[in-house]
Amino acid sequence: MKDATHPALDRSRPPAAAPSQPCAFPRFEHERLESGVRLWTLDVPDRNLVTVTLLVPGGSELDPPHLAGLASFTAGLRSKGTTQRTALEFAAAAEDLGTAVSASCSWEIAGVGTTMRSEDVAAGLELVAEAAVQPAFEEEEIERARRRRLAEIERRRSDPASLAGAAFARAVYDETPYGKQTIGDRESTQAIARSDIAAFHDRALAARSCHLIAVGDLGPDRLRRTIEDKIERPLRSHTGDFDDEPARLEPGQPGTPARQVVIVDRPGAAQTELRVGHVGIPRRHPDRIPIQVANSILGGKFMSRLNLNLRERHGYTYGVSSSFSSRRGPGPFVVGTAVANEVTGAACREIVAELERLCSEPPSEAELDDARNYLVGVFPYTMQTIQNLSSRLKALATFDLDHDEYERWPERIRATTREDVHEVCRRHLFPDRLTITAVGPASELEPQLEDL
């Protein structure tokens, strides 16, 4: 029986969206400690959890040309035993706290961190400081890490997506750090010696270039006293600034003078992995906001132009996306998808056509509203956990962003106009200078891509 008090639901049209709710990034504190370390704290009461990360300089952009992968290799070993505990003892100490100490490495920076109960902050910080300041780099652990890395490199040799990403990076960035893989290759992995690891670590251990990020149920004054004891004390003998700089992050010729096609032959492959793009812009570029809106329209969300074209209209793929990578230097702009071999050429032409259309005319007002609402609407989902909030603070620290970056971000997205989008596309998208990388059977792909 129908409920007379509730009208029938009209399923012929979607329900109207509810009014947008305000969402502000929580207040955080920033200060420089006596050792020179920059401390970022964000108190989230009543969680009984704290996540801490000590960021140290020395990311993959500083890999020596002949030792690609050194930064990430070094970072991974920091949590594999210290001068105070063996790898097993260190892991057991973390397990006793119900956690693990993780090591990470991005293009710009490395980190050691953990998440623990509020009452275990002292013990957790002690482990973080040990891993960051006193890693042992035992030969046994180095060789174990080397075997695992070589196995991963071998696995990637049979993974079409990995092959496409590596070939695209080589073609676009040539011999710059961005042209190599952060994991390195077989030759560089075999060549890395303990002396290389120790020297890289020692150079990076410069307190004035380090950041400590702490987010969670911090409590009044408790964390500060613990930091002074567990972090400040071991770093006081490592004061100083890290002044190493990558030789060059941007290729000598930014973007090719014409389109280039790179085919990685995989005979018998059932489909083709595609990467299409060119050199993009740095994270701190003043056009970053309108570029985000433009990318959302192009391929940054499910109902984007690329997905509606290649997936919905033509049925070439299950999904396609585009992105501008956030890096200190000009990270790549890339469109990525996988398509059936026989439609690879047609899919590439549709991608090129969408880029040309975005550069030739402003988006419609409806498209712009949809992109802005999407970006502002998903923003709160990126701040749901203490780990999410910590990642946001890491970005502020890594890229030296304004402290009101997230406070102003939604209003700057909403203020982006059709003309802004059109202008940044004309400045930063180059359909005539694309690098098209295809991983698949060359005999089928070459005829389709020849005229590109």
Side-chain angles (χ1 to χ4, degrees), residues 155-179:
R155 185 198 69 79
R156 293 187 183 193
R157 287 166 59 88
S158 61
D159 176 44
S162 298
L163 288 171
F168 176 83
R170 281 196 305 272
V172 171
Y173 288 100
D174 195 31
E175 292 301 313
T176 66
Y178 291 165

Side-chain angles (χ1 to χ4, degrees), residues 207-437:
R208 289 188 61 82
S209 297
C210 292
H211 301 263
L212 182 64
I213 315 287
V215 179
D217 194 354
L218 306 182
D221 299 326
R222 179 184 63 211
L223 182 73
R224 180 58 183 268
R225 292 194 301 271
T226 306
I227 287 172
E228 289 175 354
D229 179 42
K230 304 299 183 182
I231 299 291
E232 285 279 85
R233 188 165 43 82
L235 281 174
R236 283 193 184 117
S237 59
H238 300 280
T239 56
D241 290 294
F242 182 78
D243 54 9
D244 285 19
E245 292 287 342
R248 180 168 53 93
L249 293 176
E250 187 168 339
Q253 174 63 43
T256 55
R259 289 187 200 133
Q260 63 172 334
V261 175
V262 177
I263 297 176
V264 180
D265 189 19
R266 289 193 83 230
Q271 63 179 11
T272 297
E273 277 286 339
L274 274 177
R275 300 294 182 270
V276 180
H278 50 62
V279 176
I281 61 176
R283 175 62 180 84
R284 285 178 55 85
H285 197 285
D287 287 341
R288 191 75 197 185
I289 293 295
I291 275 290
Q292 284 182 283
V293 178
N295 184 68
S296 179
I297 293 169
L298 176 65
K301 55 187 175 63
F302 187 78
M303 297 298 285
S304 65
R305 287 185 178 185
L306 285 172
N307 218 38
L308 290 174
N309 183 331
L310 272 69
R311 174 190 161 105
E312 302 299 323
R313 189 179 313 144
H314 289 100
Y316 291 157
T317 180
Y318 285 112
V320 55
S321 62
S322 65
S323 64
F324 282 83
S325 292
S326 291
R327 297 183 189 173
R328 194 196 320 270
F333 158 70
V334 62
V335 175
T337 189
V339 299
N341 296 329
E342 62 271 17
V343 300
T344 299
C348 284
R349 290 175 184 83
E350 292 300 328
I351 291 171
V352 172
E354 291 295 353
L355 291 172
E356 290 175 337
R357 181 159 72 102
L358 203 55
C359 293
S360 63
E361 61 185 32
S364 69
E365 201 64 53
E367 280 185 304
L368 179 65
D369 280 343
D370 186 53
R372 292 184 303 200
N373 290 338
Y374 169 79
L375 290 171
V376 174
V378 299
F379 183 58
Y381 291 100
T382 66
M383 303 187 298
Q384 293 186 98
T385 67
I386 59 174
Q387 288 83 5
N388 292 155
L389 295 170
S390 177
S391 294
R392 289 287 185 178
L393 293 184
K394 289 175 194 174
L396 295 184
T398 300
F399 298 108
D400 193 23
L401 303 176
D402 294 337
H403 289 192
D404 63 352
E405 168 81 5
Y406 304 130
E407 183 179 338
R408 296 173 54 223
W409 189 84
E411 68 183 55
R412 292 171 68 190
I413 290 288
R414 291 201 181 281
T416 302
T417 66
R418 297 171 62 225
E419 291 70 27
D420 293 334
V421 171
H422 186 213
E423 185 56 35
V424 296
C425 289
R426 287 163 56 88
R427 284 202 294 267
H428 302 298
L429 290 179
F430 307 103
D432 58 337
R433 288 191 272 165
L434 294 168
T435 291
I436 298 169
T437 304

